Amino acid sequence: MNPKYHLALKTAFASEYAFALKAQNYHWNVEGASFPQLHMLFEKIYQEVYGSIDTFAEELRALQLYTPASLQKFSMLTVVEDENEESLPERNMVEELLQDSEKMANIFKMVFGMSEEAGDHGLSDFLAGRQDAHKKHSWMLRSTLK
Ligand SMILES: [Fe+2]
């Protein structure tokens, strides 16, 4: 049992869920000249991330951890902050999600190190994939800001 490792995994999970919700929030609420492109880009991102959530939850269960699964637990654990502003300018949405995506890539990089140390190679493989997915989301968001 390694409490630091297990808390890091739960934090990564809650943050990933919060990230997906934020991307979906922006998909719904984006306004402006780039609406069609950003509406689609945010959709592509939240769908990719949600698509990984169930596997992530079951990886935690396989380690005999309970999966955080309530809004209250997510908000206690997440390092990705909630978006409460409903009419954020479109550029700010992209900047904000880019920062969060980079944050997620770093979290996965850090937790990957811990899972390798624990010899959880299957989980490491999943975490490496999540780091890579966030690098790609970051690339697309960053390119939109040029
Ligand atoms: Fe939609």
Side-chain angles (χ1 to χ4, degrees), residues 1-6 8-9 63 108-125 127:
M1 284 284 137
N2 180 342
K4 212 175 145 194
Y5 169 41
H6 292 165
L9 279 169
L63 281 182
F108 284 119
K109 184 177 174 178
M110 187 264 294
V111 187
F112 174 90
M114 296 170 110
S115 74
E116 276 300 272
E117 219 166 280
D120 293 329
H121 301 305
L123 175 59
S124 293
D125 192 44
L127 296 169

Side-chain angles (χ1 to χ4, degrees), residues 45-55 126 130:
I45 293 173
Y46 87 70
Q47 284 187 345
E48 189 285 326
V49 177
Y50 272 131
S52 74
I53 289 288
D54 190 61
T55 305
F126 171 79
R130 295 316 302 149

Side-chain angles (χ1 to χ4, degrees), residues 41 44 135-145:
L41 176 61
K44 190 177 150 137
K135 277 190 172 170
K136 288 190 179 127
H137 297 322
S138 301
W139 157 52
M140 289 185 198
L141 291 162
R142 199 179 301 116
S143 299
T144 304
L145 290 169

Side-chain angles (χ1 to χ4, degrees), residues 87-127:
S87 62
L88 206 62
E90 56 182 15
R91 193 177 173 85
N92 296 31
M93 287 183 173
V94 178
E95 284 169 353
E96 179 78 16
L97 207 61
L98 172 58
Q99 271 183 25
D100 289 330
S101 188
E102 287 174 337
K103 200 186 268 187
M104 289 311 305
N106 281 328
I107 289 172
F108 284 119
K109 184 177 174 178
M110 187 264 294
V111 187
F112 174 90
M114 296 170 110
S115 74
E116 276 300 272
E117 219 166 280
D120 293 329
H121 301 305
L123 175 59
S124 293
D125 192 44
F126 171 79
L127 296 169

